[in-house]
Amino acid sequence: MTVIAFRPRPRAGGPRLDQFEDAPFTGTFRTPLGRLSTVEGRLRVQRLVLVPSGVFVTGVFVAELREADGTFIGIDSRRATVPADLVRRDDGLRPVVRATRLSLMGLELQIAPFPVDPRLTLTDDRTAPARGEGPSPRRGHLRPAP
């Protein structure tokens, strides 16, 4: 029997993750010649996961790798789930990806901490409407920032 998996449909009125911009990141890596070089890339966020063991961001990392002198090495992408922290702001909680390691093209990248799109915020009990004042997003669910 063939089973076809369909992605769940977004809830009416809820944010669609494809409407958010990619999150830029930077990092370092050792080139094939052994030199320390920098990498710049973008994370296309697919999901923010809240579990008892912590907060994680799932998405596709895309980066262009170059030698320290600017010589092009290649472009690669990888889907990964990485740990994140929630930083409290006036409008709610903002996800910030922790420093992490990621393997692209067989090279290990050291990714520096970076914030995810500021429009991806989590509701905070202080900012949620009082009971009876309209729809209230459940704690831990994504909502667009004002």
Side-chain angles (χ1 to χ4, degrees), residues 32-46:
L33 297 177
R35 296 183 221 152
L36 186 65
S37 188
T38 59
V39 63
E40 292 183 3
R42 302 189 82 69
L43 169 63
R44 187 172 56 240
V45 178
Q46 294 176 331

Side-chain angles (χ1 to χ4, degrees), residues 73-114:
I73 296 175
I75 297 175
D76 198 6
S77 63
R78 173 158 306 212
R79 185 173 187 270
T81 300
V82 294
D85 292 316
L86 294 177
V87 177
R88 186 173 301 281
R89 293 179 23 159
D90 292 338
D91 60 347
L93 301 171
R94 181 177 185 179
V96 176
V97 174
R98 293 182 191 170
T100 189
R101 294 180 182 180
L102 183 69
S103 177
L104 291 178
M105 295 184 61
L107 300 170
E108 187 172 303
L109 281 58
Q110 306 289 327
I111 306 295
F114 64 96

Side-chain angles (χ1 to χ4, degrees), residues 28 32 37 41 53 57 81:
T28 60
S37 188
S53 60
V57 174
T81 300

Side-chain angles (χ1 to χ4, degrees), residues 57-78:
V57 174
T58 298
V60 177
F61 287 83
V62 179
E64 183 176 287
L65 286 71
R66 294 186 174 271
E67 290 278 354
D69 63 0
T71 305
F72 178 76
I73 296 175
I75 297 175
D76 198 6
S77 63
R78 173 158 306 212

